[in-house]
Amino acid sequence: MAWLVVRLAISMSLLYTASAVFEDQVGKFDWRQQFIGKVRFALFDTHSQASKKLLLATDKNVFASLNSRTGDLFWRHVDKTGPEGHIDALLMYGQDAVVVVGNGRLLRSWETTVGGLKWETVLDTGSFQAAALVGVQDFVKYVAVLKKSAISLHDLSSGSEIWVENLPDSDSVQYQTIYSGGNGLVLVLGVVPNSHIVIVEYKIEDGEIMNKKSVEAAWMSSLESSCAVVSSGILLCVDQITQSLYTLPLQSAEQTEMRQIHLQTLDLEVVSGFRPVLTSTQPNPAQPPLSEFFLQLSPDHHILLQFKDGLIAPLRDFNPAYLAAFATSGERTVAAVMSPKNDTACSINLFSADTGRRHLDTTIIYHMDPNGGKPNRLYVHAFLKKDDSVGYRVMVQTEDLALTFLQQPGRVVWMREEALADVVTMEMVDLPFTGTQAELEGEFGKKADGLLPMVLKRLSSQFILLQAWLAHLWKLFYDARKPRSSVKNEVTIDVLSRDEFNLQKMMLMVTASGKLFGIDSKSGTILWKQYLENIQPNSVFKLIVQRTTAHFPHPPQCTLLIKNKDTGLGSLYVFNPIFGKKSQISVPALPRPILQTLLLPVIDQDYAKVLLLIDDQYKVTAFPSTKNVLQQLQDTASSIFFYLVDSSQGKLSGFRLRKDLSTELIWEVVIPTEVQKIVAVKGKRANEHVHSQGRVMGDRSVLYKYLNPNLLAVITESTDTHQERSFVGIILIDGVTGRIVHEAVQRKARGPVHFVHSENWVVYVYWNSKFRRNEFSVLELFEGAELYNSTVFSSLDRPHPPQVLQQSYIFPAPINTLEATLTEKGITSRHLLVGLPSGNILSLPKLFLDPRRPEMVSEQSREENLIPYAPEMPIREEWFINYNQTVSRVRGIYTAPSGLESTCLVVAYGLDIYQSRVFPSKQFDVLKDDYDYILISSVLFGLFFATMISKRLAEVKLLNRAWR
Amino acid sequence: MAMRRVLSLILSVLSTVTLLWTQSGECNNGRRSGDAGDTDLSGFSVPLEHSFEVDDVPRFRLRGALQLKGGKENGVYLSQNQLSEKDRITLKDVAAADGLYRVRVPRVSLQVDRQTERPSEGYLTTFVRACALVESHLSDVITLHTDVSGYIIGISIVTIPGSCRGIEVEDEVDLEVFNTTISVVAPVTAPAPETAPFIERMEQEMEKKGKNPQEQKSFFAKYWMYIVPLVLFLMMSGAQDQSGGGAGGGAANGGGR
């Protein structure tokens, strides 16, 4: 019964907060896009002619099947992150796809139509080297897996191990490749670098070693990168130092050394510094490979060669050619070669592999994206047409991880932006006004500077208005002539404008590969993309909105700080967030490592906020650095403070700006690294508004919040990881004075710690190592019953320490990320958005994380709407804002206010991207979807007429009475 | 009357919270030092230095000596000199130029035995506006923050009042002696989820319910007189709604399906 009462109390309190999506609202405000990552292996299903399947394995440990006609996912399997789920190899035969996972830990077979697991085998330990399908008498029956010191053969239909054999001399020989030509033998090739090659022959039936030989090869360092098997078991290797090819029949007993063929004799030469690459093809694993192969001599020079009777003959020279690939359909093998056509386009042509002759009418024109990267992988899907000629489609992967699927004569069938699988940071920017709106806004925004300029400005803006109107008329006229169906309602940059409630915004996404995206938040359409070349893989990005769209006619301006993690050297990329164009503004050179950035509320004459960059000598660079800005900085220098964190020394230090843009150290806090290390420091979000200064308590008195905009939350973790002694520390420091406002220690806890710092509270999640569970803790800071200085907050003048209340709760699930909702004016109650590893995003009312939740229910706590304390935090399915649209590996959640106070825009990103709206206090400022306009208006009209009639009747009655 | 009681209750809650804040810190250190074994009860002294210069380049001079008592009391005592004539003038000049008054202490451990373990390196600094110090007549509050193991990690200084209003201050009378409140604050132990009291409370309520035979009646038996009219009313209104011709439409129907 008591439980019931508590439950009832909780559910009563939830009446205000419960929010779920109705069935008919699915997909109305939200969208999800699923990604797979950078493709490592791609195989087309050539099993049947009509098959649309494309199997992909990626560096994000994703194994997926795509519809090759649309680019949509058929199915996707997301494995563990890190080396444990790393996909080492992907082989396909018929309906089965065999995958080796986790450095040779698991061997799995998938049914490719529905993506079901057929079998899984745990392999012996040992680092993975190679895997190959093994066939006997034209029929593929086995899969062989080569580890560092053992080889095992598995049955393809059941996964059962046929045999496993230790490799001879595996501590000195590096075994790297498996070869099987369908003749009942499995050959394992190993190399002793700069000495010799070892070839071991195993019998397929029982794994017996049939033959073992070693061949001199003093020049060879790696088999994998320089060799290939062609024709009927001929090992072919290339060496750039001696500029020659080497051949060796693998199974011949008489030839005991490699035969050298100088490239010169073939009139070929390897470009110095380039490592030549051999590409051969084995269409059927049960048969030996073809005798034709590609040799790449420089980044844009390929040559098709043929090995025949111990001789190598060139079939066709492709110079220039970026990429070349073989494809087989039925019995016919073709080679597709991509050659540059002009600066912006490449042409792909098909050649028959055995002769090198070009197939007629097989050109595909591939237009390179000027804002994208160069193509770096080519996957070809060949098929036989009705007239028995070979048709083909290609998939091109570019440096910026875009997958483009093309068919003849160059039509892009679909395109996927796989860079979005790794979003690093994002921002949301308001869309610009339409020309008309903007002109009117701009008129009022401008500073008054004399009568004549004002008149001119007015005239010019009127002229622009007229222009816009005429353009609009022309468009109407133009569209009217076209049939209705051809007028597309697509989202393009030109028609983008702010909607009434500012619900549609531009999402700027920065990805780890260095590609920037501008995405329409309403539909998820990519409006622009820009690939930044020469981004180091270990770069960190910081995206700063310097000027919003509010300052027409100045275009909005965003700055991306790209910093090399190792050297700390940074560079700035300035662009227009709406159109994605690079700005012409000159960017300051940053010769020294950047430690900290600071966006000031100070604006220059062009309404761009000033960005301060602090380098490792504590010198400050301002951007933009016009005279006006420098003057303003000089005036306000004494009130500009910033902090630096050096987690390796546990040092937090505060600096003040001097008039000459140098800095002075003003405070220092040092947390000894022997005991604990700083893991994260977070301030508050700059665009956060707090509507109420205090909380009204049960007795009608007010408890004022401690709203320090300069407060920093520092999270530390103990260096001692023993479960009894480990702790998580939370230190609240004023960023201006360095005053430690509060210092707490969560005992028997360890990270990873996720936390949110907002308003007057900090919420953090940690792992309780004693009870082995996740726990939430909330800290709230109050000034007390009186405000010290209610007009303005100054860190320099706030002598009394705040009162700190704290409470902790058990959270029955692990957590990936944590963020708080944000609304325009901060009136709406707050929710916490919790990204769970299951892919769900939980919208948890802050009401539950309130340190004033009472132990015992009293009159006052009821008055205050406080929920009685319960140690466990509930998780309700209807709180999942993304119902069944789970976000794989959610890494971050971004929240942005909209023009509606009730509505907060949410973007969750990880492997997938999910965008939605949340209404923490329900849609109090919006009429419901099913609002009955007809009823209301008919009642209104009815009442109106009723009053009219009754008025008339009353008049008549009065007149009659008067006559009486 | 009730209102006042509520207020006093909340205040007492708050005060206990603040008390806990300081107390648990002391407990904490006490326990730690107890762990460390024999400690020198006589304590040790650490210099407190200050700097106020017109050109704002810090030149630290001795302000006083902090007597830190290790061990169970964990007390701190500050003995400091008067400001000299020259210092007073400088301080007023700095205040007039809106300069900073800085203080610093060396990084030390409050554990006396740890003192020898590692020589102090570097200082912990903080500041207050010089004018605020002058206008508060040199009444300041200095707090030393320690981490769990007793190292001083930060120092903070505030003046009471903390504002600069430009009030004239007579230097002979008001700027001679520091009126300093000094304390050492150790980290508070954050609360863990309180399961035991919650279960206890639940059990108590169960017992209470169990003793009262009236409560034993089933939910329906107790409240049938409310439920029956409510159900009847809902049925009536539901019937009306349907005859109204899908006025409820939209989401209601969608949800129902």
Side-chain angles (χ1 to χ4, degrees):
Chain A
M1 193 64 203
W3 275 105
L4 192 81
V5 171
V6 173
R7 291 262 165 91
L8 210 70
I10 292 173
S11 52
M12 289 300 269
S13 63
L14 291 183
L15 276 179
Y16 289 100
T17 56
S19 60
V21 189
F22 285 110
E23 196 182 347
D24 57 347
Q25 286 180 317
V26 163
K28 200 172 167 189
F29 313 122
D30 60 322
W31 51 262
R32 176 181 68 162
Q33 288 176 2
Q34 291 185 305
F35 298 96
I36 49 174
K38 180 185 179 179
V39 173
R40 293 185 58 236
F41 305 104
L43 294 172
F44 287 94
D45 182 9
T46 49
H47 181 244
S48 76
Q49 209 59 253
S51 177
K52 294 182 280 189
K53 280 193 295 282
L54 163 60
L55 292 179
L56 299 162
T58 69
D59 68 336
K60 291 261 174 279
N61 304 351
V62 174
F63 179 46
S65 170
L66 288 187
N67 183 337
S68 64
R69 307 283 153 83
T70 60
D72 297 334
L73 283 172
F74 278 130
W75 47 262
R76 183 180 74 170
H77 293 287
V78 182
D79 213 322
K80 288 174 190 156
T81 48
E84 238 183 307
H86 184 258
I87 296 171
D88 302 313
L90 167 65
L91 307 165
M92 188 157 88
Y93 186 73
Q95 289 287 322
D96 302 335
V98 179
V99 175
V100 184
V101 179
N103 199 9
R105 191 173 49 89
L106 293 168
L107 184 67
R108 286 183 183 144
S109 173
W110 299 92
E111 208 283 324
T112 51
T113 16
V114 290
L117 183 68
K118 283 180 82 174
W119 49 260
E120 181 185 86
T121 313
V122 182
L123 299 176
D124 293 342
T125 50
S127 72
F128 174 82
Q129 297 297 328
L133 293 169
V134 177
V136 191
Q137 288 149 7
D138 283 1
F139 194 70
V140 179
K141 269 165 108 176
Y142 310 106
V143 55
V145 180
L146 179 69
K147 296 283 195 77
K148 198 175 184 314
S149 59
I151 176 170
S152 58
L153 197 74
H154 300 262
D155 188 84
L156 193 59
S157 55
S158 69
S160 58
E161 192 179 270
I162 311 282
W163 49 260
V164 57
E165 290 295 328
N166 281 328
L167 295 163
D169 313 321
S170 62
D171 32 346
S172 60
V173 185
Q174 297 174 12
Y175 291 97
Q176 290 175 338
T177 343
I178 311 179
Y179 165 72
S180 164
N183 53 359
L185 291 173
V186 179
L187 275 70
V188 176
L189 312 183
V191 64
V192 177
N194 304 320
S195 168
H196 61 275
I197 305 175
V198 178
I199 300 162
V200 189
E201 286 176 31
Y202 287 93
K203 204 165 139 191
I204 287 181
E205 285 79 34
D206 52 4
E208 190 190 333
I209 294 181
M210 302 301 287
N211 191 7
K212 178 177 178 275
K213 66 174 176 183
S214 61
V215 179
E216 273 312 297
W219 47 270
M220 186 181 284
S221 57
S222 166
L223 262 172
E224 243 177 338
S225 56
S226 55
C227 295
V229 181
V230 296
S231 197
S232 48
I234 309 293
L235 182 70
L236 188 72
C237 296
V238 63
D239 177 40
Q240 82 250 44
I241 296 160
T242 52
Q243 294 267 347
S244 36
L245 288 165
Y246 294 86
T247 61
L248 174 77
L250 288 171
Q251 281 164 288
S252 95
E254 56 263 31
Q255 196 179 334
T256 50
E257 60 180 39
M258 299 192 91
R259 203 151 64 80
Q260 188 176 12
I261 301 166
H262 280 283
L263 282 173
Q264 251 175 354
T265 58
L266 300 164
D267 279 343
L268 298 174
E269 195 188 356
V270 179
V271 173
S272 65
F274 183 78
R275 205 186 165 92
V277 184
L278 283 167
T279 317
S280 68
T281 179
Q282 186 175 13
N284 187 346
Q287 278 169 1
L290 297 184
S291 51
E292 290 79 23
F293 58 94
F294 272 115
L295 174 62
Q296 189 180 5
L297 296 166
S298 79
D300 53 359
H301 185 191
H302 287 75
I303 184 158
L304 183 66
L305 299 160
Q306 190 178 42
F307 181 86
K308 208 172 186 180
D309 309 326
L311 292 169
I312 289 172
L315 285 180
R316 196 175 180 116
D317 194 0
F318 301 100
N319 192 10
Y322 292 142
L323 299 165
F326 285 111
T328 307
S329 175
E331 293 297 304
R332 293 165 72 172
T333 300
V334 288
V337 178
M338 180 191 265
S339 324
K341 192 160 180 270
N342 52 37
D343 285 350
T344 59
C346 290
S347 65
I348 304 165
N349 282 296
L350 209 58
F351 300 87
S352 82
D354 43 1
T355 58
R357 201 173 304 134
R358 196 171 84 91
H359 286 235
L360 291 174
D361 301 327
T362 55
T363 309
I364 290 180
I365 304 293
Y366 170 70
H367 291 278
M368 283 190 287
D369 186 355
N371 302 325
K374 289 195 190 74
N376 64 357
R377 292 290 282 276
L378 184 69
Y379 302 97
V380 185
H381 178 213
F383 53 89
L384 287 175
K385 286 192 203 160
K386 284 197 182 96
D387 58 353
D388 212 33
S389 64
V390 180
Y392 75 120
R393 301 188 187 93
V394 289
M395 184 171 80
V396 181
Q397 180 172 273
T398 49
E399 282 169 342
D400 55 332
L401 310 186
L403 291 178
T404 316
F405 195 76
L406 299 140
Q407 68 177 38
Q408 279 174 293
R411 191 170 78 85
V412 176
V413 184
W414 50 262
M415 197 168 172
R416 291 180 68 91
E417 290 291 352
E418 291 304 334
L420 284 171
D422 205 348
V423 174
V424 182
T425 177
M426 69 166 293
E427 280 289 338
M428 267 186 166
V429 180
D430 294 349
L431 289 174
F433 289 110
T434 55
T436 337
Q437 286 170 324
E439 261 313 308
L440 291 174
E441 287 279 322
E443 186 85 17
F444 298 114
K446 277 167 197 162
K447 283 172 196 153
D449 41 5
L451 193 64
L452 193 69
M454 284 291 274
V455 170
L456 285 177
K457 257 175 202 165
R458 164 57 65 92
L459 281 177
S460 75
S461 65
Q462 298 268 346
F463 180 71
I464 293 171
L465 275 179
L466 186 73
Q467 250 183 337
W469 187 63
L470 284 177
H472 178 67
L473 278 187
W474 171 247
K475 196 169 181 295
L476 274 183
F477 175 69
Y478 194 75
D479 284 350
R481 293 193 318 178
K482 282 198 268 185
R484 184 147 291 198
S485 57
S486 69
V487 183
K488 279 185 198 161
N489 206 6
E490 269 182 14
V491 192
T492 55
I493 283 178
D494 310 318
V495 298
L496 270 189
S497 66
R498 196 178 298 186
D499 60 334
E500 254 173 312
F501 299 122
N502 201 3
L503 289 165
Q504 188 179 7
K505 294 199 179 198
M506 178 67 88
M507 287 160 56
L508 300 179
M509 293 195 136
V510 182
T511 62
S513 62
K515 195 166 187 183
L516 309 183
F517 289 91
I519 299 174
D520 169 36
S521 76
K522 200 173 187 177
S523 61
T525 321
I526 295 170
L527 295 172
W528 59 262
K529 49 202 168 191
Q530 178 71 50
Y531 177 57
L532 307 178
E533 277 170 52
N534 307 323
I535 298 284
Q536 301 297 316
N538 58 355
S539 297
V540 280
F541 300 91
K542 185 164 183 174
L543 188 59
I544 302 136
V545 182
Q546 278 197 295
R547 182 166 55 219
T548 60
T549 29
H551 305 287
F552 189 83
H554 300 289
Q557 182 183 324
C558 278
T559 303
L560 181 69
L561 173 70
I562 306 151
K563 195 173 129 180
N564 189 316
K565 215 174 190 172
D566 297 335
T567 61
L569 288 173
S571 61
L572 293 176
Y573 177 79
V574 186
F575 63 101
N576 178 336
I578 303 299
F579 301 104
K581 291 200 184 76
K582 190 176 178 183
S583 172
Q584 298 304 316
I585 295 172
S586 63
V587 186
L590 305 171
R592 298 214 62 84
I594 299 297
L595 295 181
Q596 175 75 290
T597 57
L598 190 66
L599 188 68
L600 296 181
V602 176
I603 52 171
D604 71 349
Q605 68 271 38
D606 292 339
Y607 303 97
K609 281 185 186 164
V610 175
L611 180 69
L612 294 188
L613 301 150
I614 294 103
D615 66 21
D616 65 342
Q617 291 182 331
Y618 312 115
K619 288 267 174 357
V620 172
T621 314
F623 171 70
S625 55
T626 56
K627 219 176 201 177
N628 176 312
V629 169
L630 294 177
Q631 182 61 44
Q632 284 191 63
L633 281 181
Q634 270 188 18
D635 296 345
T636 53
S638 63
S639 60
I640 296 173
F641 298 85
F642 60 89
Y643 69 94
L644 296 177
V645 184
D646 181 355
S647 58
S648 64
Q649 292 178 34
K651 193 192 265 181
L652 289 137
S653 39
F655 292 81
R656 184 164 81 157
L657 196 67
R658 285 215 190 113
K659 287 199 192 314
D660 58 347
L661 291 191
S662 63
T663 56
E664 57 178 330
L665 180 77
I666 49 173
W667 60 264
E668 217 170 357
V669 166
V670 186
I671 300 163
T673 47
E674 294 86 11
V675 184
Q676 51 193 335
K677 56 180 191 295
I678 300 171
V679 287
V681 179
K682 247 189 217 174
K684 290 176 189 175
R685 287 178 66 163
N687 58 347
E688 176 183 279
H689 295 274
V690 182
H691 184 257
S692 61
Q693 291 286 309
R695 285 183 57 165
V696 182
M697 295 199 287
D699 61 353
R700 298 273 178 266
S701 65
V702 176
L703 190 59
Y704 286 100
K705 295 174 183 170
Y706 179 77
L707 296 168
N708 183 349
N710 309 317
L711 198 66
L712 302 173
V714 181
I715 298 282
T716 63
E717 274 178 40
S718 61
T719 45
D720 190 347
T721 50
H722 185 271
Q723 62 162 25
E724 285 291 321
R725 291 187 298 268
S726 68
F727 64 86
V728 165
I730 171 146
I731 305 169
L732 302 177
I733 295 183
D734 187 300
V736 170
T737 61
R739 180 183 184 194
I740 295 175
V741 170
H742 183 67
E743 193 190 353
V745 168
Q746 194 83 46
R747 300 218 176 253
K748 298 185 181 80
R750 62 182 166 82
V753 179
H754 301 281
F755 68 113
V756 175
H757 182 197
S758 175
E759 281 188 41
N760 64 328
W761 48 266
V762 178
V763 171
Y764 60 95
V765 192
Y766 57 90
W767 172 257
N768 186 323
S769 51
K770 190 186 175 196
F771 293 109
R772 296 169 182 278
R773 64 191 181 198
N774 285 88
E775 289 177 6
F776 258 116
S777 195
V778 56
L779 276 161
E780 281 197 25
L781 292 94
F782 293 100
E783 291 228 352
E786 269 178 57
L787 266 184
Y788 178 78
N789 180 353
S790 57
T791 48
V792 65
F793 188 97
S794 167
S795 285
L796 297 169
D797 178 17
R798 192 81 19 168
H800 304 293
Q803 296 157 358
V804 184
L805 303 178
Q806 187 169 14
Q807 219 167 48
S808 300
Y809 316 88
I810 301 161
F811 190 72
I815 280 175
N816 268 14
T817 182
L818 197 65
E819 187 55 82
T821 60
L822 193 67
T823 51
E824 180 93 3
K825 300 264 178 270
I827 299 167
T828 309
S829 60
R830 308 291 294 271
H831 275 202
L832 285 172
L833 298 169
V834 188
L836 306 176
S838 63
N840 289 112
I841 293 156
L842 181 76
S843 180
L844 185 69
K846 172 71 177 56
L847 216 63
F848 280 92
L849 291 156
D850 185 345
R852 303 190 61 249
R853 280 174 72 174
E855 287 277 324
M856 299 297 273
V857 189
S858 67
E859 200 63 39
Q860 287 102 33
S861 71
R862 208 166 293 152
E863 183 89 357
E864 232 186 299
N865 258 336
L866 292 175
I867 309 161
Y869 179 79
E872 186 165 349
M873 191 75 63
I875 293 183
R876 277 151 206 275
E877 245 109 277
E878 64 264 28
W879 289 351
F880 291 154
I881 61 166
N882 53 345
Y883 44 106
N884 64 355
Q885 306 281 302
T886 50
V887 186
S888 251
R889 291 196 198 138
V890 55
R891 221 170 331 106
I893 296 174
Y894 179 87
T895 52
S898 73
L900 282 174
E901 171 55 34
S902 67
T903 310
C904 168
L905 303 176
V906 178
V907 181
Y909 53 88
L911 189 60
D912 304 339
I913 297 173
Y914 178 77
Q915 190 276 145
S916 186
R917 300 174 195 168
V918 288
F919 317 103
S921 302
K922 291 195 137 182
Q923 286 184 282
F924 60 81
D925 49 4
V926 179
L927 289 178
K928 280 202 189 92
D929 283 348
D930 54 350
Y931 186 76
D932 204 336
Y933 293 94
I934 298 164
L935 185 75
I936 278 281
S937 45
S938 59
V939 164
L940 212 71
F941 278 113
L943 281 173
F944 178 71
F945 285 118
T947 35
M948 294 282 281
I949 291 160
S950 57
K951 198 177 167 191
R952 176 76 193 137
L953 286 176
E955 268 173 20
V956 170
K957 202 177 178 183
L958 269 178
L959 193 69
N960 284 346
R961 195 180 291 164
W963 276 105
R964 206 175 283 158
Chain B
M1 186 63 193
M3 295 269 271
R4 192 183 294 169
R5 216 190 303 148
V6 172
L7 186 73
S8 64
L9 188 115
I10 284 165
L11 280 177
S12 69
V13 166
L14 291 178
S15 57
T16 43
V17 166
T18 40
L19 260 173
L20 274 172
W21 190 49
T22 45
Q23 265 177 1
S24 63
E26 283 174 15
C27 288
N28 189 357
N29 261 299
R31 195 173 55 77
R32 279 271 160 180
S33 53
D35 289 348
D38 52 337
T39 42
D40 188 2
L41 284 170
S42 61
F44 58 96
S45 137
V46 160
L48 173 71
E49 292 168 304
H50 62 173
S51 151
F52 43 96
E53 302 292 336
V54 184
D55 58 358
D56 231 10
V57 177
R59 279 183 284 274
F60 285 95
R61 297 180 298 264
L62 192 71
R63 168 171 158 178
L66 285 164
Q67 287 291 328
L68 291 161
K69 283 205 192 81
K72 291 194 168 57
E73 278 134 66
N74 191 21
V76 61
Y77 171 74
L78 177 66
S79 60
Q80 50 194 350
N81 312 327
Q82 290 189 351
L83 276 184
S84 67
E85 180 74 42
K86 198 183 135 212
D87 282 349
R88 285 201 295 263
I89 293 163
T90 326
L91 188 60
K92 281 193 86 173
D93 287 347
V94 173
D98 197 13
L100 302 183
Y101 172 82
R102 300 157 193 265
V103 286
R104 72 172 188 189
V105 287
R107 288 179 58 196
V108 287
S109 169
L110 288 187
Q111 255 59 49
V112 184
D113 49 339
R114 293 211 186 174
Q115 273 275 288
T116 47
E117 227 172 74
R118 199 185 64 167
S120 64
E121 41 175 88
Y123 290 88
L124 302 165
T125 52
T126 191
F127 70 98
V128 72
R129 285 166 80 186
C131 56
L133 187 71
V134 170
E135 283 181 32
S136 67
H137 303 178
L138 299 189
S139 41
D140 53 355
V141 179
I142 295 175
T143 315
L144 298 170
H145 297 268
T146 67
D147 70 353
V148 280
S149 59
Y151 282 112
I152 299 179
I153 61 165
I155 176 174
S156 73
I157 178 169
V158 286
T159 60
I160 293 177
S163 56
C164 282
R165 293 206 179 80
I167 307 162
E168 267 305 303
V169 180
E170 287 178 44
D171 51 338
E172 272 76 34
V173 192
D174 297 325
L175 295 181
E176 233 166 32
V177 200
F178 281 103
N179 173 19
T180 307
T181 317
I182 188 153
S183 57
V184 176
V185 176
V188 185
T189 302
E194 291 164 28
T195 36
F198 181 74
I199 293 165
E200 208 171 280
R201 204 176 76 219
M202 284 293 126
E203 276 169 359
Q204 273 175 5
E205 272 175 45
M206 293 278 266
E207 267 174 38
K208 226 194 310 181
K209 293 278 154 59
K211 273 174 199 158
N212 198 341
Q214 267 213 318
E215 301 279 325
Q216 295 283 356
K217 277 204 249 169
S218 81
F219 186 71
F220 267 103
K222 264 195 294 180
Y223 300 112
W224 67 271
M225 63 279 254
Y226 304 110
I227 293 165
V228 169
L230 190 79
V231 168
L232 277 176
F233 175 75
L234 283 175
M235 277 168 71
M236 299 269 282
S237 63
Q240 262 176 8
D241 230 28
Q242 271 169 16
S243 64
N253 280 342
R257 239 178 259 134

